[in-house]
Amino acid sequence: MNGWIEARLRERLDHVRARGLWRRHRTLNGPQTPEQVVDGRPVLAFCSNDYLGLAADPRVAAAASDGLGRYGLGAGAAHLVNGHTRAHAALEEALAAFTGRPRALLFSTGYMANLGVLQTLVGRHDTVFEDRLNHASLIDAARLAGCRTRRYRHADPVHLARRLREQRTETARLVITDGVFSMDGDLAPLPELAHTARRYGAWLMVDDAHGLGVLGRHGGGSCGHFGLGMDDVPVLMGTLGKAFGTAGAFVAGSETLVEGLTQFARTYVYTTAMPATLAAAALAAVGIATRETWRREHLAALIARLGAGLERIGLSRPPGASPIQPIVLGDTGRAIAAAARLLEHGLLVPAIRPPTVPEGTARLRITLSARHTEAQVDRLVETLDRVLARMPPEHTDLNPPGGRTTR
């Protein structure tokens, strides 16, 4: 039987290699900053989720060091045994305040948070309504919860309303969506989704991994951007590994929601708590993100500058005001080749291919950080202009110079 499994894996591996979809690790030597050394060569990176530039902030590192001295490294147990420290409690209190909700609950990753929420809130007789471009963790969470699922067209509240009308039941109904979609960078129409969910007696859950800390005047994310509160979005999931520059995730909401997750979410109950030193670092990062509004202002200015530059060289300005700024090239080979040629010029911009994005929508996925400078953004635009101008419109080379491919 083991021979069958290995043969099947080899067949799948050969398939992705032949289609130019092979993925390789890159090895970063040093901190997460725009100027990096990757695979032994200096590059200017436009691919990090470190949106506010906090991953290498010395104050966050100092908080982690202090937490290491106070608590040691490993948590040693699950939260409900004796792995929940004062650092964890303080971080949960800060995240609840940051999101304007009564309580927050920490999870080790965003994937585990989404799994825990859906496994707790819905079962096989319930229905989840999901945006067709939701993050993989939301899609998998709905599948593993064993509930019925109905997809609605991307960012289309009218189609969602039709789905809700078609599926009238007396059981639980949950609408789930990204706040900022990770591959396109566009925002979900949360006010319309919230109104539609309320109208049909459903709850709305927002995965705001890419919005929290970045959008809204005070960094409140997609909900803050639209001025929505807990009555509009009862379930809010956020991550700590993006704008807050650390790692982990949380769910914020009502007392009943958080206590229900504490008691019933298997991905919370049956796993070791995140290290307290990480919680201490995240607490410092949340404080910095709250106080230093210039980070969001500078990031917004860079996004506008990049958009204007792309239009100047004949490319479409990406939708939305998030740091995720994709350039859709369509053909997989063209995207791979463009990324390889940018790397030859010292710029690290990943090519995103199927199955991460739909067929025919391969792209360069640019992400900006508050640590980037205007000059670095200008260099990116100028290099893109040179690289794309020298490529044939329907380039299909799946083996770019050097034989390296990107994600």
Side-chain angles (χ1 to χ4, degrees):
M1 185 60 70
N2 287 341
W4 284 96
I5 293 173
E6 183 170 351
R8 187 182 304 153
L9 280 173
R10 288 184 179 278
E11 182 180 353
R12 292 179 66 189
L13 290 170
D14 290 343
H15 179 69
V16 298
R17 186 183 284 110
R19 295 182 63 207
L21 302 179
W22 194 261
R23 306 178 189 199
R24 289 183 172 87
H25 291 98
R26 295 190 183 278
T27 303
L28 172 63
N29 181 16
Q32 187 63 252
T33 57
E35 294 182 345
Q36 305 176 352
V37 176
V38 176
D39 291 340
R41 64 181 297 176
V43 297
L44 176 58
F46 289 94
C47 54
S48 171
N49 294 329
D50 182 30
Y51 300 134
L52 295 183
L54 295 177
D57 191 287
R59 294 165 293 179
V60 177
S65 179
D66 180 68
L68 184 63
R70 185 183 301 269
Y71 298 104
L73 183 56
H79 283 279
L80 296 176
V81 181
N82 71 336
H84 191 75
T85 67
R86 169 46 54 188
H88 295 101
L91 177 56
E92 288 180 341
E93 292 167 5
L95 291 169
F98 187 84
T99 58
R101 284 159 168 76
R103 287 188 62 184
L105 188 72
L106 292 171
F107 285 81
S108 296
T109 68
Y111 218 109
M112 292 179 72
N114 284 337
L115 288 175
V117 169
L118 268 73
Q119 170 262 318
T120 299
L121 298 186
V122 294
R124 64 191 183 94
H125 298 297
D126 305 316
T127 306
V128 162
F129 301 83
E130 53 185 353
D131 189 294
R132 64 180 299 104
L133 294 187
N134 273 352
H135 189 266
S137 62
L138 285 174
I139 295 170
D140 290 354
R143 289 173 177 168
L144 293 172
C147 59
R148 303 184 182 98
T149 59
R150 295 289 185 274
R151 288 191 176 186
Y152 60 90
R153 286 191 291 268
H154 175 55
D156 189 342
V158 174
H159 193 228
L160 170 62
R162 186 187 310 165
R163 290 293 200 203
L164 286 162
R165 283 196 302 271
E166 293 169 350
Q167 193 72 20
R168 287 189 176 276
T169 66
E170 297 301 319
T171 57
R173 300 197 292 175
L174 181 67
V175 178
I176 58 175
T177 182
D178 288 15
V180 175
F181 290 89
S182 59
M183 290 298 112
D184 290 298
D186 58 327
L187 275 65
L190 293 187
E192 293 85 357
L193 295 179
H195 172 77
T196 302
R198 282 197 307 271
R199 180 181 175 189
Y200 291 97
W203 267 19
L204 175 61
M205 173 184 176
V206 174
D207 175 336
D208 209 22
H210 296 277
L212 277 170
V214 175
L215 299 176
R217 182 178 179 184
H218 302 290
S222 302
C223 294
H225 174 79
F226 289 113
L228 302 179
M230 192 172 67
D231 290 341
D232 305 296
V233 181
V235 188
L236 176 64
M237 195 286 284
T239 57
L240 302 171
K242 297 179 175 62
F244 298 120
T246 54
F250 67 96
V251 177
S254 68
E255 178 77 24
T256 301
L257 172 68
V258 172
E259 198 55 51
L261 294 173
T262 303
Q263 301 300 322
F264 306 125
R266 295 172 67 84
T267 55
Y268 178 81
V269 175
Y270 299 111
T271 193
T272 299
M274 69 162 65
T277 185
L278 186 55
L283 179 61
V286 171
I288 295 170
T290 302
R291 296 188 304 270
E292 297 185 356
T293 57
W294 66 264
R295 293 176 181 272
R296 282 180 289 279
E297 294 163 1
H298 178 60
L299 184 57
L302 293 180
I303 293 167
R305 190 179 189 91
L306 174 63
L310 294 177
E311 288 183 335
R312 188 173 62 251
I313 64 174
L315 296 173
S316 298
R317 183 189 290 257
S322 80
I324 302 167
Q325 298 282 293
I327 299 175
V328 178
L329 299 178
D331 178 72
T332 294
R334 180 172 167 80
I336 292 172
R341 282 158 176 72
L342 286 170
L343 187 58
E344 291 174 355
H345 288 84
L347 300 181
L348 182 56
V349 181
I352 307 296
R353 299 80 54 83
T356 304
V357 294
E359 291 286 348
T361 66
R363 67 199 59 192
L364 297 173
R365 182 178 182 267
I366 299 167
T367 55
L368 297 174
S369 166
R371 294 196 64 167
H372 282 118
T373 66
E374 292 182 347
Q376 289 170 337
V377 170
D378 291 345
R379 177 185 166 190
L380 171 63
V381 172
E382 292 164 4
T383 308
L384 277 167
D385 191 22
R386 292 199 301 272
V387 164
L388 295 179
R390 290 182 172 88
M391 291 178 58
E394 297 299 328
H395 188 97
T396 56
D397 176 18
L398 299 185
N399 295 292
R404 299 193 63 84
T405 58
T406 54
R407 176 178 182 272

